[in-house]
Amino acid sequence: MPAPWQARVLTLFPEMLPGPLGHSLAGKALARGLWTLETVDIRGFARDKHRSVDDTPCGGGPGMVMRPDVLAAAIDAVHGKAPAGQALYYLSPRGRRLDQALVRELAVSGGVTLVCGRFEGVDERVLEARQALELSLGDFVLSGGEIAALALIDAVVRLLAGVVGDEGSLAEESFAAGLLEYPHYTRPPVWEGRAVPEVLLGGHHEEIRRWRQAEAERLTRTRRPDLWESYAARHETEATRTKGTRKGTIKP
Ligand code: SAH
């Protein structure tokens, strides 16, 4: 069995973990030792008598900022002993947007250290000094990094070997081929007057595959023109390559 994937999470609210990750697929995988979770209370690294972890922003303004000395001590204690090649991320709305490609990279990297911010965020110097990469869940503002950390870990864990029962479902799902997934149906065959598409009941595997591919393309084209453009460009490049010609507009 490969070494378990390691998640290290630094937070001011350690009781928020494993939270939803203690249930269902991720929870079972955690219990089976397919991944490990080390939750670290940043407050445990505070040194003054009030155990303060934050202070007012230099230059004024609302809210509080997490202190660099306390956070750096926590990072050094936890990430300092992480195997080489495992990244240190600060969850932040300023960061690179998390996507399935990065999730796949993280899944094969052995593990990750995640810093959850609170209040207005963390002192910029600690990010520079510890070379933390910034990672965002999307263009919206959460009240803390914990939900983003949970989302990232959940997305990674379901890709680990042995976590999802039928690994075929990972190969077909949204983003696997650069497309959104086709629609699903189950019994009953007619519900509130709506019938399951006939092709799915006919048992003709090649026709079903073609229908699903066409639906995935249609949904991607209409809902996510950005994804569609890069998918189409990639396929155009491939088609051109196999023909051995370089006609058409090939996007990089
Ligand atoms: N003042 C900051 C927001 C702070 S929100 C700003 O305007 O950019 C408090 C914490 O929540 C942040 O430190 C970060 O860790 C987390 N957070 C908020 N939104 C996030 C997002 N979209 N992705 C990941 N983490 C987020």
Side-chain angles (χ1 to χ4, degrees):
M1 205 167 88
W5 189 79
Q6 308 171 346
R8 290 166 294 272
V9 181
L10 281 65
T11 169
L12 288 172
F13 295 93
E15 61 280 12
M16 288 188 175
L17 290 111
L21 299 178
H23 301 271
S24 191
L25 275 183
K28 283 186 200 131
L30 184 61
R32 284 166 56 208
L34 297 177
W35 67 287
T36 61
L37 174 65
E38 185 182 358
T39 306
V40 178
D41 187 356
I42 297 170
R43 198 174 293 278
F45 294 85
R47 284 289 155 258
D48 63 351
K49 65 174 191 296
H50 302 294
R51 304 227 294 153
S52 63
V53 292
D54 57 337
D55 211 329
T56 53
C58 294
M64 299 294 274
V65 175
M66 288 170 69
R67 289 169 55 140
D69 52 346
V70 177
L71 188 52
I75 291 173
D76 294 345
V78 177
H79 191 63
K81 61 178 168 52
Q86 296 193 13
L88 169 68
Y89 284 106
Y90 167 53
L91 282 321
S92 149
R94 299 188 315 194
R96 165 179 174 187
R97 183 97 65 93
L98 181 64
D99 60 18
Q100 193 65 13
L102 181 56
V103 168
R104 276 195 292 265
E105 268 175 46
L106 291 174
V108 297
S109 75
V112 76
T113 304
L114 302 174
V115 176
C116 303
R118 280 273 153 182
F119 322 122
E120 290 306 316
V122 308
D123 187 303
E124 190 71 18
R125 292 169 294 177
V126 72
L127 301 176
E128 293 164 9
R130 295 301 180 268
Q131 299 185 345
L133 303 166
E134 293 185 48
L135 205 54
S136 169
L137 208 56
D139 291 345
F140 47 84
V141 181
L142 298 164
S143 53
E146 289 78 9
I147 289 177
L150 291 171
L152 180 155
I153 296 170
D154 182 81
V156 168
V157 163
R158 57 192 294 287
L159 296 185
L160 302 176
V163 174
V164 171
D166 178 2
E167 288 179 9
S169 72
L170 296 178
E172 292 206 359
E173 68 190 2
S174 290
F175 311 115
L179 294 173
L180 303 178
E181 199 183 47
Y182 51 81
H184 295 287
Y185 298 87
T186 183
R187 276 179 282 272
V190 180
W191 173 78
E192 290 195 351
R194 294 162 189 270
V196 170
E198 217 170 303
V199 57
L200 299 179
L201 305 172
H204 190 302
H205 295 302
E206 181 51 25
E207 272 177 29
I208 293 173
R209 193 198 61 74
R210 276 205 301 269
W211 181 86
R212 286 178 166 165
Q213 175 70 20
E215 283 294 286
E217 292 184 6
R218 180 183 64 79
L219 285 172
T220 310
R221 211 165 41 233
T222 52
R223 294 188 186 180
R224 290 290 304 275
D226 58 323
L227 280 183
W228 175 250
E229 203 177 304
S230 46
Y231 176 84
R234 225 173 26 251
H235 282 253
E236 197 179 336
T237 315
E238 271 162 30
T240 318
R241 251 197 230 118
T242 33
K243 272 192 266 153
T245 60
R246 297 193 67 77
K247 265 185 266 156
T249 46
I250 301 162
K251 300 200 178 103

